Amino acid sequence: MTSCPSCGASAPATAEWCGQCYQRLTAAAPPASVAVSASVPAQGDTPVAPNRWGLAPAPDSQGAPAPIPQQLHRPGAHQPAWSPAAPPATAPVEPPRTGHLGAWGWGSTGATVTGAIVLGAIMQLVMYAVTKRGTIEAEAFVRYAIVATIAFYAVVSVIVLQRLHAGGVRLYWSDGNPVLGIATGLGVGLTLGLLAIGINSAISGHLATDPNATLLVSEGAAGYILATILITMVAAPLVEETLFRGLLAESLRPKGMATAIWVSALAFSAWHLNPSALRYYALMGALFGLLYWKRGLVCSMAAHASFNGVLTVIATFLALTPGHSVTMNGLTFKAPSGWHEASDSVPEGTGFAALQGPSHATLLVMSLPNPGGATTTNTLVRRIVAGDFDNALPSDANFGHSAPEEQHIPAGDIVTMQLTVDGHQGELVWLPSPTRLYVIVLGTGGSSKARHDFNDMLQTFKVS
């Protein structure tokens, strides 16, 4: 008996082949048919590898050996030494970043951006026409504006997605580690947002943020705040960055970095349709474009969302700030949440001090000398009807056919009149004291919350 050197199986001493694995046991010459098949090929013949039984495949009809099928190989299994090497893998061809959707012409990214800007202009013209009719209050207008803006972003999103599909565009999301790109964008956006808050506050003389964000959340309701977050921190970064950076700037890449960034920035500025802030939006668009160029869409989107987020958070803070006591021209009272001092709301050339509240509501307080002794409401009503105080009132205040009414509050007897300020309902209050006459003008801006807040303020009035 002998043992197979390959598998260790026992075999008779006279056996030449292993009955278990069919490997040769001796160095004896193979049979003639095998020897011919496995012999060294003649000059010009193609070498043929034997199979596991030592047999070469039969030649095909052309005389060439039939190809040896590849043996299936399980991961982790031993690869036989005689297996032919796998063909080298070919590197995938990197598709162009923007496909064939060019920057100009019909069906191009430029046409898509232009269409989105025109669509936005149409929406703003409709909203402007609604406000100019004077039949809609500011609070209702804010609701309509929120719904219209969300619908607008949804329509533009559909247009962008259709262009991405039809144009074969591949968005350039990240250059390098996406986490690093997001972190960079968040840091840049946060820094810019705080800088913008500082500049606006310095100009206004009080904590101030973006006027649009302030208006949207000014009513302080949870629905308004959530809708504002959706618009400013989700919809705007996703849609605008894809439109102006992912499509337009990327399609201009062959023109160079400067051209791509500034053309997309100018389009971004035109998109906001605010002539007084064109340079502001152009600079912001250029910065977002630079972040996109260096780090990809995740970076510019993160910066955009972070910047808008800072403005929205401050606006929400102003809307939800707890009530606080204020003293204006000698009159002390408690201002409810959402009201803050706003010197920029004071009419020029008047002695009024001002608060600003929800939906751009304003509260003006002025203190006049009272040498005539108008300390009783009867005397005050006669002087009001005689027009003695007409020159002290704001020029945009319209009394219509309102008649003075006497009321009593903890600070004393007052005279009230209904009026219209900037096309919205308001109220005028006269509060006499022995030495001063306080004139309080409320412009609600159409906000029901502002009118309710004013009634609460009246109960806290104290003459210094």
Side-chain angles (χ1 to χ4, degrees), residues 187-200 208-209 284 303 306-311 314:
V188 172
L190 177 62
T191 302
L192 289 176
L194 294 176
L195 180 62
I197 294 294
I199 294 175
N200 287 340
T209 181
M284 293 301 300
S306 178
F307 176 79
N308 286 356
V310 172
L311 303 183
I314 297 300

Side-chain angles (χ1 to χ4, degrees), residues 134-413:
T135 58
I136 183 174
E137 298 291 355
E139 183 179 358
F141 173 78
V142 170
R143 291 198 301 270
Y144 297 155
I146 287 175
V147 173
T149 303
I150 293 176
F152 170 69
Y153 275 118
V155 172
V156 175
S157 298
V158 172
I159 295 174
V160 170
L161 290 174
Q162 191 275 334
R163 288 304 186 195
L164 288 173
H165 175 73
V169 178
R170 186 177 72 89
L171 294 178
Y172 180 50
W173 287 101
S174 178
D175 184 2
N177 187 346
V179 175
L180 180 59
I182 294 174
T184 301
L186 291 176
V188 172
L190 177 62
T191 302
L192 289 176
L194 294 176
L195 180 62
I197 294 294
I199 294 175
N200 287 340
S201 300
I203 294 174
S204 303
H206 59 86
L207 182 61
T209 181
D210 179 72
N212 293 326
T214 301
L215 178 62
L216 291 177
V217 303
S218 61
E219 292 295 326
Y224 289 89
I225 295 174
L226 291 176
T228 303
I229 292 174
L230 173 64
I231 292 171
T232 61
M233 299 177 62
V234 179
L238 288 176
V239 174
E240 294 175 9
E241 291 308 308
T242 301
L243 186 65
F244 294 102
R245 260 62 72 176
L247 290 181
L248 184 57
E250 189 61 42
S251 66
L252 291 168
R253 184 175 288 270
K255 302 294 184 180
M257 182 177 73
T259 299
I261 289 177
W262 281 108
V263 170
S264 63
L266 293 175
F268 178 73
S269 179
W271 157 276
H272 287 86
L273 298 171
N274 188 346
S276 62
L278 287 177
R279 286 180 293 182
Y280 162 74
Y281 284 114
L283 290 174
M284 293 301 300
L287 181 58
F288 292 150
L290 180 62
L291 292 175
Y292 166 77
W293 197 271
K294 298 296 184 180
R295 290 288 182 180
L297 270 177
V298 296
C299 186
S300 62
M301 284 182 178
H304 199 152
S306 178
F307 176 79
N308 286 356
V310 172
L311 303 183
T312 303
V313 167
I314 297 300
T316 304
F317 170 78
L318 292 174
L320 301 180
T321 300
H324 58 288
S325 295
V326 296
T327 299
M328 302 173 65
N329 287 337
L331 184 66
T332 301
F333 58 95
K334 186 175 182 180
S337 63
W339 291 84
H340 56 273
E341 295 187 46
S343 56
D344 52 347
S345 299
V346 178
E348 295 184 4
T350 68
F352 284 101
L355 289 180
Q356 189 172 71
S359 300
H360 288 169
T362 55
L363 179 68
L364 306 178
V365 177
M366 182 173 62
S367 175
L368 299 175
N370 192 17
T375 58
T376 66
T377 54
N378 289 333
T379 305
L380 185 58
V381 168
R382 287 196 301 269
R383 295 188 62 184
I384 292 173
V385 173
D388 292 349
F389 305 111
D390 287 353
N391 292 333
L393 299 177
S395 58
D396 57 353
N398 181 13
F399 295 99
H401 300 287
S402 174
E405 297 181 3
E406 300 179 27
Q407 294 184 20
H408 179 77
I409 61 173
D413 293 329

Side-chain angles (χ1 to χ4, degrees), residues 52 63 120 122 194 277 281 303 377 397 416 449:
R52 65 178 295 180
I122 293 173
L194 294 176
Y281 284 114
T377 54
T416 64
K449 181 178 183 299

